[in-house]
Amino acid sequence: MEKFNIAIDGPAGAGKSTIARLVAGALGFVYVDTGAMYRAVTWRILEEGLREDQTEEMISLTRQSNIRLAPGSNGQAVYVDGQDVTGMIRSAEVTGNVSRVSAISEIRDVLTRKQKEMAAGKGIVMDGRDIGSQVLPDAEVKVFLTASVRIRAERRLKEISDSQPEVTLDQLMTDIARRDRMDEQREASPLVRAPDAVLIDTSGLTIDEVVHRILELAGSRV
Ligand code: C5P
């Protein structure tokens, strides 16, 4: 089959990574989770103990760090300078700091360049916030997934109820709304639907229905 690229954007918890992984599996394409790359950089910055005002140090640390994604047993494994950080990048501390780090345009430039390289050979399903608008503006298929804040928080609660039983629905709704605000309002590549991206509201749809819809779009692309 001829290869092409699929860009999937949307706010936190819209189901992007689950859906992107399934779409990639169905097509035999490679899945790239760009949120994991921003999380990996954030983890590295926190690990280094940099303060919020040390922007220059954050940028040079990002330039020096080797971030690698590889297929893992449970989705995508993430390595920073050879160290497996797959679990650590999902911590509350990284989640609480990632939007601030990803608002720094020089850091976005480093990761955007890497993401473009990864997609150059085609056959990629990439998810994030700015894939259809900035990273892969020529992607053959572009989708923008969304869902209400409550539905997104309920989904996240289900995902983490075993590992973090202390977290409440209210906390998740506040956290998701705050990240939406930061991602939408930042100056550098804000979360925005590309004009040619197909909008899919996943609130009332099952995962399979969304995957099916995207595969239909992929099948009918021109
Ligand atoms: O997708 P995930 O929720 O793991 O992304 C974590 C954060 O990384 C987002 O809230 C956003 O701040 C940032 N991000 C971004 N651009 C992307 C992907 C993620 O700014 N392409």
Side-chain angles (χ1 to χ4, degrees), residues 3-9 23 27 29 122 124-127 131-133 136-144 194 196-198 200 210-211 213-222:
K3 286 186 170 177
F4 52 92
N5 286 333
I6 302 182
I8 300 182
D9 289 300
V23 169
L27 293 169
F29 284 14
K122 305 262 181 174
I124 296 289
V125 181
M126 190 175 279
D127 81 356
I131 310 307
S133 59
L136 305 177
D138 298 329
E140 286 78 358
V141 178
K142 292 187 191 178
V143 175
F144 193 90
D196 52 350
V198 175
I200 303 178
V210 181
V211 170
R213 176 89 183 91
I214 297 175
L215 291 175
E216 269 178 1
L217 291 170
S220 64
R221 79 196 183 284
V222 276

Side-chain angles (χ1 to χ4, degrees), residues 34-35 38-39 98-99 102 108 128-130 179 183 186:
T34 64
Y38 285 94
R39 286 173 179 274
V98 62
S99 293
S102 60
R108 301 200 70 80
R129 302 293 189 287
D130 60 343
R179 275 211 286 154
D183 291 346
R186 69 176 173 225

Side-chain angles (χ1 to χ4, degrees), residues 63-136:
R63 291 192 176 128
Q64 287 158 24
S65 301
N66 176 21
I67 295 174
R68 199 166 56 81
L69 302 179
S73 51
N74 190 15
Q76 195 148 56
V78 186
Y79 297 85
V80 176
D81 299 327
Q83 182 177 353
D84 185 347
V85 296
T86 313
M88 291 184 281
I89 63 168
R90 305 285 160 195
S91 71
E93 203 193 357
V94 169
T95 303
N97 284 280
V98 62
S99 293
R100 154 174 86 75
V101 170
S102 60
I104 300 170
S105 66
E106 291 88 343
I107 290 184
R108 301 200 70 80
D109 290 345
V110 174
L111 296 187
T112 299
R113 205 171 318 121
K114 252 189 228 291
Q115 291 154 9
K116 283 179 191 276
E117 280 168 22
M118 293 166 101
K122 305 262 181 174
I124 296 289
V125 181
M126 190 175 279
D127 81 356
R129 302 293 189 287
D130 60 343
I131 310 307
S133 59
Q134 299 287 330
V135 181
L136 305 177

Side-chain angles (χ1 to χ4, degrees), residues 140-196:
E140 286 78 358
V141 178
K142 292 187 191 178
V143 175
F144 193 90
L145 295 183
T146 183
S148 68
V149 170
R150 173 171 282 274
I151 295 261
R152 289 188 277 139
E154 284 172 358
R155 288 179 185 158
R156 190 70 27 124
L157 189 66
K158 253 192 222 149
E159 269 171 31
I160 63 166
S161 57
D162 283 342
S163 58
Q164 298 172 54
E166 69 287 358
V167 175
T168 66
L169 184 66
D170 272 356
Q171 279 170 346
L172 287 174
M173 285 179 64
T174 307
D175 171 54
I176 284 176
R178 185 181 71 91
R179 275 211 286 154
D180 280 1
R181 238 186 346 268
M182 286 182 74
D183 291 346
E184 284 164 3
Q185 291 175 358
R186 69 176 173 225
E187 267 177 44
S189 304
L191 169 66
V192 63
R193 176 184 163 201
D196 52 350

Side-chain angles (χ1 to χ4, degrees), residues 155 200-210 213:
R155 288 179 185 158
I200 303 178
D201 186 335
T202 69
S203 301
L205 300 176
T206 64
I207 289 170
D208 280 351
E209 285 169 333
V210 181
R213 176 89 183 91

